[in-house]
Amino acid sequence: MKNVAIIMGGYSSEYKISLSSGNVVYQNLDPSKYIGYRIHILKDKWVYVSTDNTEYPIDKSDFSVNIEGKKTIFDVVFNAIHGTPGEDGLLQAYFELLGIKQTSCDYYQAALTFNKRDTLSVLKPYGIKTATSHYLNLGDEINVDEILKNIGLPCFVKPNKSGSSFGISKVKTVAEFLPAIEMAYKEDNEIIIESFLDGTEVSVGVISYKGNTKVLPITEIVSENDFFDYEAKYLGKSKEITPARISEEIKQKIELVAKKAYEVLKMRGFSRSEFIIVNEEPFMLEINTVPGLTNESILPQQAREAGISLPELFENAIEEALK
């Protein structure tokens, strides 16, 4: 029996979604193989939460917990934290220093992919297409006319390091541009402004599965809103169609690009890449390394389509981490 610490929560706007993901992992672990421990990592506390909701503090010096006088250590950490500190490399580095195995990618890959600007910059030389973009750091001079001449309208203004579509705006007029920048800066001190890509949005999971890189079935995103924002993702304002209604030729192109990105970046564990298909070509938007893991989330939908149940998906992640 392996002790599995399922870390959930985090310090970002995504913490509630992460708690849901972590609880789904907890509920789907095979009890004959694993003892799951729900670990809430929050700004004000790191605690193990027992089945009766009693909280026991985590000893950060070795990531152990004292439960009624008995010290418990963990064989592996299942990372279900979306956003910082679970998706940006901070916890990956911490666990590496402690010598504890964990299910997500390594700390460098996590830090790189959490930064949209840097990820796309690394992938462009490999022929992976992206939107035209402009970057701003908090305090930079904002030349509206120059930026919009290059990017065009409509465009997207996004926090550079954030998830779940927090702080993202679709800007249609010049008057909306500066307020959108102000909103994005509430989530991050770096922002990315991208040209609007008019096409079909798809999402594809790539995972380490039984020792190999596996591309999962592609999901088509049809949002009721202007784009795949928070409401569309989590409040039912979208249709997620798996497998996507795309040609075999486009499907193969996306699979090739998604797998290439995963392997070029030396990823492991889960990933979910977002693309817009324009004129039969996939343009990459971003890569998520701790995607949602609830029953309704996209990657579990894709796994089910591939014939992989949630218990199988989570067991595989643990066993891959333990190698």
Side-chain angles (χ1 to χ4, degrees), residues 60-207:
K60 293 181 184 178
S61 70
D62 61 359
F63 199 68
S64 66
V65 60
N66 190 302
I67 305 170
E68 295 173 359
K70 182 183 176 184
K71 179 173 178 171
T72 297
I73 59 173
F74 303 106
D75 298 294
V76 64
V77 171
F78 195 112
N79 184 5
I81 294 180
H82 317 310
T84 188
E87 200 167 6
D88 58 0
L90 293 178
L91 282 175
Q92 287 87 342
Y94 166 73
F95 290 126
E96 182 158 326
L97 286 170
L98 292 178
I100 300 174
K101 304 278 192 179
Q102 54 89 30
T103 57
S104 56
C105 61
D106 295 330
Y107 68 91
Y108 172 74
Q109 283 73 15
L112 175 64
T113 52
F114 198 66
N115 187 309
K116 298 179 181 73
R117 176 191 64 197
D118 293 355
T119 305
L120 299 176
S121 297
V122 169
L123 292 175
K124 274 181 186 177
Y126 291 89
I128 294 174
K129 294 179 172 65
T130 64
T132 303
S133 55
H134 184 93
Y135 307 104
L136 289 172
N137 294 320
L138 186 62
D140 283 355
E141 181 184 345
I142 303 169
N143 188 322
V144 176
D145 292 339
E146 188 178 307
I147 294 170
L148 293 182
K149 183 180 178 183
N150 182 39
I151 301 295
L153 286 173
C155 67
F156 283 99
V157 177
K158 309 175 180 180
N160 188 39
K161 305 184 296 293
S162 179
S164 293
S165 299
F166 287 108
I168 297 182
S169 302
K170 183 178 180 181
V171 174
K172 300 174 185 174
T173 67
V174 175
E176 294 172 346
F177 188 59
L178 289 177
I181 287 175
E182 190 177 329
M183 186 171 91
Y185 275 141
K186 289 178 181 175
E187 290 290 330
D188 189 15
N189 60 9
E190 301 173 7
I191 64 174
I192 178 171
I193 302 158
E194 289 182 333
S195 60
F196 172 63
L197 296 171
D198 191 7
T200 302
E201 182 164 359
V202 296
S203 181
V204 55
V206 183
I207 63 175

Side-chain angles (χ1 to χ4, degrees), residues 218-237:
I218 299 166
T219 298
E220 178 182 349
I221 309 296
V222 183
S223 177
E224 292 177 23
N225 295 350
D226 249 356
F227 63 99
F228 196 42
D229 60 5
Y230 183 88
E231 281 190 338
K233 280 184 179 174
Y234 300 111
L235 303 179
K237 299 279 187 173

Side-chain angles (χ1 to χ4, degrees), residues 196-203 218-223 228 239 241 243-247 250 254 273-285:
F196 172 63
L197 296 171
D198 191 7
T200 302
E201 182 164 359
V202 296
S203 181
I218 299 166
T219 298
E220 178 182 349
I221 309 296
V222 183
S223 177
F228 196 42
K239 287 182 182 175
I241 302 164
R245 300 169 299 181
I246 55 177
S247 69
I250 295 296
I254 293 168
S273 302
E274 315 298 331
F275 294 90
I276 302 282
I277 304 166
V278 181
N279 297 325
E280 308 292 290
E281 292 293 333
F283 286 71
M284 179 174 275
L285 300 178

